[in-house]
Amino acid sequence: MKFIKNLKKYKGCKAGILTNQSAFGWKQSYHFDVYRQFVDLHTIFLPEHGLFAELQDQVSGSELSYLFGDLTIINLYGDTEDTLAPSSAALLPLDLIIIDIRDVGSRYYTFLTTAFYILESISKMKNSGQKAPDVVIIDSPNPIGKKVEGTPLETQFESFVGVRTVIHRHGLTPAGLLSYYKHKFNLKVDLSIVPVGIVHLKKFNSLLWVPPSPNIPTQNTCYVYPGQCLLEGTNLSEGRGTTKPFETFGAPFLKGPAKLELDLRLKSHQRNSMVLRSLRFLPTFHKFKGEICEGYQLMITDLKSFHSLHFTLFLLKQLRELFPTEFQFLKGVYEFRSDRPAIELLAGDSILLSYLYGKESESNLLEHLTEQQNLWKFHTKEFRY
């Protein structure tokens, strides 16, 4: 059997793989099964949600188990923050780590943060003089393309849902973003890339979409996610427990004259690139389980001009003004951090947060977004594979 380009030199090496069900399709199989024909597969590293996206968000995978013979299964989303990165003991037996996992194009999405933590762990081992595995990234297309949105995450807001310096919608492939991390943070890692098209198709085929996690059911979800993920930091339902999470959103308290005013304000926002369909929905789990919610379905009519982050920032600012007692930014533990509200970890930028609290104008927000988006494109141009 012909060996994959860039993997030939690793034939027979003891390997680990970071993957889940999103790495499917090559030879009509799950890729972790196919790689066993090329390398001595020793370890599967599990991201958040598990190997088959069985688990909901922020649910520990510590009790997951799979029948894979003598393979070692290492869960990288457990009960405590220290489970998020692999130990040197887990990496020492390996000659190679294969990273084959799909991204959705937004910095909040945790799979490439897990991959970043693996690269960091390898770099620390090498800096301390330990033997450490090489890394091969099986690249895959960005499902929402090269367009970018947002601003760099400030260091004080860094968490599992945001690596410092990365903007909200990064416009890079997995190999591009991980190569950026290696360069930006001077990581000592031997990194090779299998280009898009050798294992994964060069472009997404929506008919062959495999949900990478439970609440990214379609490719359309990825287009609204760069903004709508901010709803996780609020008491608004982001549509978990419906068939269209992040596209569907709302709450039981969206009613009365304030709701009519909200309708008017939202109707005029980005009206040439989106439509909001008013609806009612009943979440089967998560926020407002079993309660009727008043809300909307976000329908994009022009992908080129639609700006998901700007829409959601505008939405949240209107909600604070029109529903000052009902609408709230959530407090408490979010992705292992309790020292800051979730909205701060997700927005990740002092100017964006000031806008949400009514301290920055719309024009200042748009100027800031435009400037930072252009800077990000400039600083990452060599990583746009």
Side-chain angles (χ1 to χ4, degrees), residues 307-338:
H307 197 293
S308 178
L309 180 65
H310 183 206
F311 166 73
T312 308
L313 290 169
F314 181 83
L315 166 69
L316 298 184
K317 185 177 182 182
Q318 309 317 308
L319 289 169
R320 279 197 70 254
E321 292 178 5
L322 295 171
F323 297 89
T325 57
E326 299 95 338
F327 175 74
Q328 297 175 5
F329 291 123
L330 297 180
K331 298 178 181 178
V333 178
Y334 179 72
E335 294 294 4
F336 302 102
R337 284 193 63 174
S338 58

Short mmCIF file of all heavy atoms in Angstrom, two decimals, residues 307-338:
data_model
loop_
_atom_site.label_atom_id
_atom_site.label_comp_id
_atom_site.label_asym_id
_atom_site.label_seq_id
_atom_site.Cartn_x
_atom_site.Cartn_y
_atom_site.Cartn_z
N HIS A 307 -21.23 39.53 8.88
CA HIS A 307 -20.21 39.54 9.94
C HIS A 307 -20.87 39.04 11.22
O HIS A 307 -21.56 39.78 11.92
CB HIS A 307 -19.68 40.97 10.12
CG HIS A 307 -18.38 41.07 10.85
ND1 HIS A 307 -18.26 40.74 12.19
CD2 HIS A 307 -17.15 41.47 10.45
CE1 HIS A 307 -17.00 40.96 12.56
NE2 HIS A 307 -16.31 41.39 11.53
N SER A 308 -20.63 37.78 11.54
CA SER A 308 -21.31 37.14 12.66
C SER A 308 -20.98 37.81 13.99
O SER A 308 -21.86 38.04 14.83
CB SER A 308 -20.95 35.65 12.73
OG SER A 308 -21.56 35.04 13.83
N LEU A 309 -19.71 38.12 14.20
CA LEU A 309 -19.30 38.72 15.47
C LEU A 309 -19.97 40.08 15.67
O LEU A 309 -20.47 40.38 16.76
CB LEU A 309 -17.79 38.85 15.54
CG LEU A 309 -17.26 39.46 16.84
CD1 LEU A 309 -17.56 38.57 18.04
CD2 LEU A 309 -15.76 39.73 16.75
N HIS A 310 -19.98 40.91 14.64
CA HIS A 310 -20.62 42.22 14.75
C HIS A 310 -22.11 42.06 15.08
O HIS A 310 -22.65 42.77 15.93
CB HIS A 310 -20.45 43.01 13.46
CG HIS A 310 -21.01 44.40 13.52
ND1 HIS A 310 -21.43 45.09 12.41
CD2 HIS A 310 -21.25 45.23 14.58
CE1 HIS A 310 -21.89 46.27 12.77
NE2 HIS A 310 -21.78 46.39 14.08
N PHE A 311 -22.77 41.10 14.42
CA PHE A 311 -24.19 40.89 14.72
C PHE A 311 -24.41 40.56 16.19
O PHE A 311 -25.26 41.16 16.86
CB PHE A 311 -24.77 39.77 13.87
CG PHE A 311 -26.12 39.31 14.37
CD1 PHE A 311 -27.24 40.10 14.19
CD2 PHE A 311 -26.24 38.13 15.10
CE1 PHE A 311 -28.47 39.72 14.71
CE2 PHE A 311 -27.47 37.75 15.63
CZ PHE A 311 -28.59 38.55 15.44
N THR A 312 -23.65 39.62 16.73
CA THR A 312 -23.90 39.19 18.10
C THR A 312 -23.53 40.26 19.11
O THR A 312 -24.22 40.45 20.12
CB THR A 312 -23.16 37.87 18.41
OG1 THR A 312 -23.48 36.91 17.40
CG2 THR A 312 -23.58 37.32 19.76
N LEU A 313 -22.46 41.01 18.85
CA LEU A 313 -22.12 42.13 19.73
C LEU A 313 -23.26 43.16 19.73
O LEU A 313 -23.66 43.66 20.79
CB LEU A 313 -20.82 42.79 19.26
CG LEU A 313 -19.53 41.98 19.46
CD1 LEU A 313 -18.38 42.63 18.71
CD2 LEU A 313 -19.20 41.84 20.95
N PHE A 314 -23.78 43.47 18.55
CA PHE A 314 -24.91 44.40 18.45
C PHE A 314 -26.13 43.87 19.20
O PHE A 314 -26.78 44.60 19.95
CB PHE A 314 -25.24 44.63 16.97
CG PHE A 314 -26.37 45.59 16.73
CD1 PHE A 314 -26.15 46.95 16.73
CD2 PHE A 314 -27.65 45.12 16.51
CE1 PHE A 314 -27.20 47.85 16.51
CE2 PHE A 314 -28.71 46.00 16.29
CZ PHE A 314 -28.48 47.37 16.29
N LEU A 315 -26.43 42.58 19.01
CA LEU A 315 -27.55 41.94 19.69
C LEU A 315 -27.43 42.08 21.20
O LEU A 315 -28.37 42.48 21.89
CB LEU A 315 -27.61 40.46 19.29
CG LEU A 315 -28.51 39.56 20.15
CD1 LEU A 315 -29.98 39.90 19.93
CD2 LEU A 315 -28.22 38.08 19.85
N LEU A 316 -26.27 41.73 21.75
CA LEU A 316 -26.10 41.74 23.20
C LEU A 316 -26.19 43.15 23.77
O LEU A 316 -26.73 43.36 24.86
CB LEU A 316 -24.76 41.10 23.57
CG LEU A 316 -24.60 39.62 23.19
CD1 LEU A 316 -23.27 39.08 23.70
CD2 LEU A 316 -25.76 38.77 23.68
N LYS A 317 -25.68 44.12 23.03
CA LYS A 317 -25.79 45.51 23.50
C LYS A 317 -27.25 45.94 23.57
O LYS A 317 -27.67 46.60 24.53
CB LYS A 317 -25.01 46.44 22.57
CG LYS A 317 -24.97 47.87 23.06
CD LYS A 317 -24.13 48.75 22.16
CE LYS A 317 -24.06 50.17 22.70
NZ LYS A 317 -23.28 51.07 21.82
N GLN A 318 -28.05 45.56 22.57
CA GLN A 318 -29.48 45.91 22.58
C GLN A 318 -30.20 45.21 23.73
O GLN A 318 -31.07 45.79 24.38
CB GLN A 318 -30.14 45.54 21.24
CG GLN A 318 -29.44 46.03 19.99
CD GLN A 318 -28.94 47.46 20.07
OE1 GLN A 318 -29.70 48.37 20.40
NE2 GLN A 318 -27.66 47.65 19.79
N LEU A 319 -29.86 43.98 23.98
CA LEU A 319 -30.50 43.24 25.06
C LEU A 319 -30.22 43.88 26.42
O LEU A 319 -31.11 43.95 27.28
CB LEU A 319 -30.04 41.78 25.06
CG LEU A 319 -30.56 40.92 23.90
CD1 LEU A 319 -29.82 39.59 23.85
CD2 LEU A 319 -32.07 40.68 24.04
N ARG A 320 -29.00 44.33 26.63
CA ARG A 320 -28.66 45.01 27.90
C ARG A 320 -29.49 46.28 28.06
O ARG A 320 -29.91 46.62 29.17
CB ARG A 320 -27.17 45.37 27.95
CG ARG A 320 -26.26 44.23 28.34
CD ARG A 320 -24.89 44.74 28.76
NE ARG A 320 -24.95 45.43 30.04
CZ ARG A 320 -24.87 46.76 30.19
NH1 ARG A 320 -24.74 47.56 29.16
NH2 ARG A 320 -24.92 47.30 31.40
N GLU A 321 -29.70 47.00 26.97
CA GLU A 321 -30.45 48.25 27.05
C GLU A 321 -31.95 48.01 27.25
O GLU A 321 -32.61 48.70 28.04
CB GLU A 321 -30.23 49.07 25.78
CG GLU A 321 -28.82 49.62 25.63
CD GLU A 321 -28.64 50.38 24.33
OE1 GLU A 321 -29.64 50.56 23.59
OE2 GLU A 321 -27.50 50.78 24.03
N LEU A 322 -32.49 47.04 26.53
CA LEU A 322 -33.95 46.86 26.48
C LEU A 322 -34.48 45.93 27.57
O LEU A 322 -35.65 46.01 27.94
CB LEU A 322 -34.35 46.32 25.10
CG LEU A 322 -34.09 47.26 23.93
CD1 LEU A 322 -34.32 46.55 22.60
CD2 LEU A 322 -34.98 48.50 24.03
N PHE A 323 -33.62 45.03 28.07
CA PHE A 323 -34.04 44.08 29.12
C PHE A 323 -33.05 44.14 30.28
O PHE A 323 -32.37 43.16 30.60
CB PHE A 323 -34.11 42.66 28.55
CG PHE A 323 -35.12 42.47 27.46
CD1 PHE A 323 -34.77 42.68 26.14
CD2 PHE A 323 -36.42 42.10 27.75
CE1 PHE A 323 -35.71 42.51 25.11
CE2 PHE A 323 -37.37 41.93 26.75
CZ PHE A 323 -37.01 42.15 25.42
N PRO A 324 -32.92 45.30 30.92
CA PRO A 324 -31.87 45.52 31.92
C PRO A 324 -31.98 44.63 33.15
O PRO A 324 -30.96 44.36 33.81
CB PRO A 324 -32.02 47.00 32.30
CG PRO A 324 -33.44 47.33 31.96
CD PRO A 324 -33.77 46.51 30.76
N THR A 325 -33.16 44.17 33.49
CA THR A 325 -33.30 43.31 34.67
C THR A 325 -33.31 41.83 34.31
O THR A 325 -32.84 40.99 35.07
CB THR A 325 -34.59 43.65 35.44
OG1 THR A 325 -35.71 43.52 34.57
CG2 THR A 325 -34.53 45.07 35.98
N GLU A 326 -33.83 41.49 33.13
CA GLU A 326 -33.94 40.08 32.75
C GLU A 326 -32.66 39.53 32.12
O GLU A 326 -32.23 38.41 32.43
CB GLU A 326 -35.10 39.88 31.76
CG GLU A 326 -36.46 40.27 32.31
CD GLU A 326 -36.83 41.69 31.92
OE1 GLU A 326 -35.92 42.49 31.62
OE2 GLU A 326 -38.04 42.01 31.92
N PHE A 327 -32.05 40.30 31.24
CA PHE A 327 -30.86 39.82 30.54
C PHE A 327 -29.64 39.92 31.47
O PHE A 327 -29.47 40.91 32.17
CB PHE A 327 -30.61 40.64 29.28
CG PHE A 327 -29.33 40.28 28.58
CD1 PHE A 327 -29.22 39.11 27.85
CD2 PHE A 327 -28.22 41.10 28.68
CE1 PHE A 327 -28.03 38.76 27.22
CE2 PHE A 327 -27.03 40.78 28.05
CZ PHE A 327 -26.94 39.61 27.32
N GLN A 328 -28.79 38.88 31.43
CA GLN A 328 -27.61 38.84 32.31
C GLN A 328 -26.43 38.20 31.60
O GLN A 328 -26.60 37.31 30.74
CB GLN A 328 -27.90 38.03 33.57
CG GLN A 328 -28.98 38.59 34.46
CD GLN A 328 -29.28 37.66 35.62
OE1 GLN A 328 -28.62 36.64 35.81
NE2 GLN A 328 -30.29 38.01 36.41
N PHE A 329 -25.25 38.66 31.97
CA PHE A 329 -24.02 37.93 31.65
C PHE A 329 -23.79 36.94 32.78
O PHE A 329 -23.86 37.31 33.96
CB PHE A 329 -22.84 38.87 31.50
CG PHE A 329 -22.93 39.76 30.28
CD1 PHE A 329 -22.89 41.14 30.40
CD2 PHE A 329 -23.06 39.21 29.01
CE1 PHE A 329 -22.98 41.96 29.28
CE2 PHE A 329 -23.14 40.02 27.88
CZ PHE A 329 -23.11 41.38 28.02
N LEU A 330 -23.52 35.70 32.44
CA LEU A 330 -23.42 34.64 33.44
C LEU A 330 -22.15 34.76 34.28
O LEU A 330 -21.11 35.22 33.81
CB LEU A 330 -23.46 33.28 32.76
CG LEU A 330 -24.74 32.94 31.99
CD1 LEU A 330 -24.64 31.55 31.37
CD2 LEU A 330 -25.96 33.02 32.90
N LYS A 331 -22.26 34.29 35.51
CA LYS A 331 -21.11 34.19 36.41
C LYS A 331 -20.90 32.72 36.75
O LYS A 331 -21.75 31.88 36.49
CB LYS A 331 -21.35 35.01 37.67
CG LYS A 331 -21.53 36.51 37.40
CD LYS A 331 -21.82 37.27 38.67
CE LYS A 331 -22.03 38.75 38.38
NZ LYS A 331 -22.35 39.52 39.60
N GLY A 332 -19.77 32.42 37.35
CA GLY A 332 -19.49 31.04 37.74
C GLY A 332 -18.43 30.41 36.86
O GLY A 332 -17.84 31.06 35.99
N VAL A 333 -18.18 29.14 37.09
CA VAL A 333 -17.11 28.43 36.38
C VAL A 333 -17.47 28.24 34.91
O VAL A 333 -18.59 27.84 34.58
CB VAL A 333 -16.85 27.06 37.04
CG1 VAL A 333 -15.76 26.31 36.28
CG2 VAL A 333 -16.46 27.23 38.50
N TYR A 334 -16.53 28.56 34.05
CA TYR A 334 -16.68 28.35 32.61
C TYR A 334 -15.36 27.86 32.07
O TYR A 334 -14.34 28.57 32.17
CB TYR A 334 -17.12 29.63 31.92
CG TYR A 334 -17.29 29.50 30.42
CD1 TYR A 334 -18.37 28.79 29.89
CD2 TYR A 334 -16.38 30.07 29.53
CE1 TYR A 334 -18.53 28.66 28.52
CE2 TYR A 334 -16.54 29.96 28.17
CZ TYR A 334 -17.62 29.24 27.66
OH TYR A 334 -17.77 29.12 26.29
N GLU A 335 -15.34 26.66 31.53
CA GLU A 335 -14.12 26.05 30.98
C GLU A 335 -12.95 26.16 31.96
O GLU A 335 -11.86 26.64 31.63
CB GLU A 335 -13.77 26.66 29.63
CG GLU A 335 -14.79 26.36 28.54
CD GLU A 335 -14.86 24.89 28.15
OE1 GLU A 335 -14.17 24.07 28.78
OE2 GLU A 335 -15.62 24.56 27.21
N PHE A 336 -13.22 25.74 33.21
CA PHE A 336 -12.22 25.62 34.27
C PHE A 336 -11.78 26.95 34.88
O PHE A 336 -10.92 26.98 35.74
CB PHE A 336 -10.99 24.84 33.80
CG PHE A 336 -11.30 23.46 33.31
CD1 PHE A 336 -11.36 23.19 31.95
CD2 PHE A 336 -11.55 22.42 34.20
CE1 PHE A 336 -11.66 21.91 31.50
CE2 PHE A 336 -11.85 21.15 33.75
CZ PHE A 336 -11.91 20.89 32.40
N ARG A 337 -12.35 28.08 34.43
CA ARG A 337 -11.99 29.36 35.02
C ARG A 337 -13.19 29.96 35.73
O ARG A 337 -14.30 29.96 35.22
CB ARG A 337 -11.48 30.34 33.96
CG ARG A 337 -10.07 30.01 33.51
CD ARG A 337 -9.46 31.15 32.71
NE ARG A 337 -9.30 32.38 33.47
CZ ARG A 337 -8.68 33.46 32.99
NH1 ARG A 337 -8.17 33.46 31.77
NH2 ARG A 337 -8.57 34.55 33.74
N SER A 338 -12.95 30.47 36.93
CA SER A 338 -14.02 31.11 37.70
C SER A 338 -13.65 32.54 38.09
O SER A 338 -14.45 33.23 38.71
CB SER A 338 -14.31 30.30 38.97
OG SER A 338 -13.14 30.18 39.76
#
